[in-house]
């Protein structure tokens, strides 16, 4: 089954049933529920759970519901068992890596899913394809933590030193260094381990990059005798919203973000400083996005009725899936081009897609940044690389541009 085969009404019904199953799981109720639907709709619910990587938490709700085909229950159960097992292995592996970082005096900071999973009431509820860790050398300046170094040049040198040490640590543990994402290094070890080691949490050009330019300014030390850091609760919540918006405003993000939000609020809402949170989100121009996301999250998982705005946002998230919807990405990039003529918008779109800004080059292709005259060769390289490594995506984008109408 693919998303293109599902009608809007089937998407809507399947989404609401999936949310209902997750409601049941989060409530931890053990009583039996009845959801009487046909087998084809249950196939749609399973597809949506898979597309959004929420099979594990869905199983914990579905096992208390009658009338679900056993073959679908069995698939959810298998994924749940795998998620629990992988979570256990990742925790052991993370601690081993952190121990080596401790020995080398490198600060480490679990972020995103690696942190949020701790707030879920049961293991296996939160799937993670990778672990995201912020790292570097850190010092205290004027009572706040910050990157080590007196100026930008010195900070970069210390960061390169930490990066070299980390690469050696990961190599000793059998990891292959995969690639540089502009703000992180990716390390993989078969069959399941995938670590994204960040030296920044946003890259140049992204919304709120300046706010998080030195994320260590928002850090606190978790334990006096360890080099592990974390956000205070309020800043962790703010970062969750900022990170969600980054994906939402690009190619979309799946429903896991509203589950994370609900779980965090359930644990922390009553003890957080909401004046501070609201002030920071307003300053970051995320207050309206936060309002809509929080409203949807609470409506979904507190057994409230969803209004039309809620349903539309839920369907957008559901159709985005965990890793985003590539057509959403093309549409947003296209709409950002300033022209009333589609032909001009297409030209501007191609320029932006092929020729990176100086800020983007600085983070992703530092060699090109130092030699900007090589930019045309980078554009050619990116085209060839896309055709070879991501042909489906390349030709999807090509067809997307061709199909745009040539109207004013």
């Amino acid at each position: 089954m693919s998303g293109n085969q599902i009608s809007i009404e089937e998407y809507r019904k399947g989404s609401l049933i999936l949310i209902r199953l997750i409601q049941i799981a989060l409530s931890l109720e053990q009583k039996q529920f009845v959801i009487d639907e046909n087998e084809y709709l249950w196939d749609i619910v399973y597809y949506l759970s898979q597309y959004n990587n929420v099979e594990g938490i869905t199983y914990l709700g579905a096992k208390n519901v009658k009338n679900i085909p056993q073959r679908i229950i069995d698939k959810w159960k298998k994924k749940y068992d795998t998620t629990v097992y992988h979570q256990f292995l990742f925790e052991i592996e993370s601690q081993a890596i952190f121990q080596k970082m401790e020995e080398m005096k490198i600060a480490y900071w679990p972020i995103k899913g690696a942190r949020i999973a701790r707030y879920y009431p049961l293991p296996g509820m939160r799937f993670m394809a990778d672990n995201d860790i912020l790292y570097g050398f850190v010092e205290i300046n004027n009572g706040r933590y910050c990157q080590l170094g007196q100026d930008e040049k010195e900070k970069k040198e210390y960061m390169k030193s930490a990066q070299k040490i980390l690469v050696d640590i990961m190599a000793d543990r059998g990891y292959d260094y995969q690639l540089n994402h502009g703000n992180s290094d990716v390390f993989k070890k078969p069959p399941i381990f995938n670590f994204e080691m960040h030296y920044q949490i946003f890259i140049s050009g992204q919304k709120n990059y300046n706010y998080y330019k030195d994320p260590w300014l928002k850090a606190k030390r978790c334990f006096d005798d360890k080099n592990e850091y974390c956000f205070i609760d309020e800043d962790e919540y703010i970062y969750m919203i900022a990170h969600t918006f980054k994906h939402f405003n690009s190619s979309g993000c799946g429903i896991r973000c509203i589950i994370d939000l609900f779980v965090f609020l359930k644990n922390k809402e009553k003890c957080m400083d909401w004046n501070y949170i609201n002030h920071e989100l307003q300053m970051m121009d995320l207050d309206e996005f936060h309002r809509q996301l929080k409203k949807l999250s609470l409506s979904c998982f507190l057994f409230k009725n969803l209004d039309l705005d809620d349903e539309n946002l839920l369907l957008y998230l559901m159709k985005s899936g965990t890793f985003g919807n590539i057509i959403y990405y093309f549409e947003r990039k296209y709409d950002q081009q300033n022209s009333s003529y589609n032909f001009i918008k297409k030209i501007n779109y191609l320029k932006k897609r092929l020729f990176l800004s100086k800020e983007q080059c600085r983070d992703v292709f530092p060699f090109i940044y130092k030699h900007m005259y090589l930019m045309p060769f980078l554009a050619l390289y990116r085209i060839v690389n896309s055709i070879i490594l991501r042909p489906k995506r390349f030709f999807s984008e090509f067809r997307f541009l061709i199909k745009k109408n040539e109207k004013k």
Side-chain angles (χ1 to χ4, degrees), residues 19-200:
I19 289 298
R20 176 66 172 136
L21 296 177
I22 297 171
Q23 283 176 348
I24 295 169
L26 290 171
S27 71
L28 301 178
E29 291 190 61
Q30 296 303 311
K31 65 181 182 181
Q32 288 291 304
F33 296 84
V34 176
I35 302 178
D36 192 11
E37 292 293 348
N38 63 63
E39 191 161 339
Y40 176 67
L41 192 59
W42 282 116
D43 283 325
I44 291 173
V45 175
Y46 179 79
Y47 163 77
L48 293 175
S49 73
Q50 187 180 46
Y51 189 52
N52 285 269
N53 281 120
V54 293
E55 300 105 305
I57 192 170
T58 302
Y59 166 72
L60 292 174
K63 69 186 181 72
N64 294 319
V65 176
K66 296 179 180 179
N67 306 327
I68 302 177
Q70 189 59 44
R71 61 181 177 83
I72 294 178
I73 290 286
D74 290 342
K75 287 194 288 186
W76 274 327
K77 173 68 162 59
K78 183 178 180 181
K79 187 63 178 182
Y80 169 73
D81 290 341
T82 301
T83 302
V84 172
Y85 180 57
H86 285 185
Q87 188 173 345
F88 173 72
L89 292 179
F90 261 111
E91 184 63 28
I92 293 174
E93 184 68 12
S94 296
Q95 292 305 316
I97 293 170
F98 293 160
Q99 181 58 43
K100 290 295 182 182
M101 296 175 80
E102 288 277 359
E103 293 172 8
M104 302 306 295
K105 310 299 182 186
I106 297 178
Y108 55 94
W109 182 349
I111 57 175
K112 297 194 281 190
R115 180 78 182 174
I116 297 301
R118 304 177 186 185
Y119 296 116
Y120 279 73
L122 294 173
M125 282 187 157
R126 177 55 157 82
F127 170 83
M128 291 183 296
D130 54 34
N131 264 25
D132 294 271
I133 313 296
L134 184 68
Y135 75 96
F137 288 120
V138 178
E139 64 179 348
I140 295 180
N141 190 351
N142 294 325
R144 301 173 73 186
Y145 293 105
C146 61
Q147 293 176 332
L148 184 61
Q150 296 301 309
D151 52 36
E152 287 300 316
K153 183 178 179 180
E154 195 171 280
K155 288 178 188 291
K156 287 182 179 180
E157 290 303 315
Y158 277 117
M159 193 65 247
K160 286 180 181 179
S161 176
Q163 186 180 41
K164 184 178 184 305
I165 294 170
L166 181 65
V167 168
D168 290 340
I169 289 173
M170 300 304 281
D172 287 344
R173 294 198 60 80
Y175 283 84
D176 293 324
Y177 175 69
Q178 296 288 312
L179 53 95
N180 181 296
H181 273 170
N183 67 336
S184 64
D185 298 306
V186 178
F187 299 91
K188 293 185 178 181
K189 181 171 70 172
I192 65 165
F193 293 122
N194 183 357
F195 282 82
E196 285 195 17
M197 300 301 207
H198 295 255
Y199 36 91
Q200 290 179 311

Side-chain angles (χ1 to χ4, degrees), residues 272-286:
M272 291 197 295
D273 181 351
W274 284 97
N275 288 330
Y276 170 74
I277 291 172
N278 291 330
H279 174 270
E280 297 299 291
L281 290 173
Q282 187 173 17
M283 184 175 66
M284 298 163 75
D285 193 26
L286 291 175

Side-chain angles (χ1 to χ4, degrees), residues 208-226:
N208 294 307
Y209 164 75
N210 288 330
Y211 187 89
Y212 289 109
K213 189 173 182 180
D214 185 350
W216 299 97
L217 294 172
K218 298 286 185 181
K220 72 169 186 176
R221 201 160 188 164
C222 298
F223 309 98
D224 292 339
D225 59 341
K226 287 188 176 182

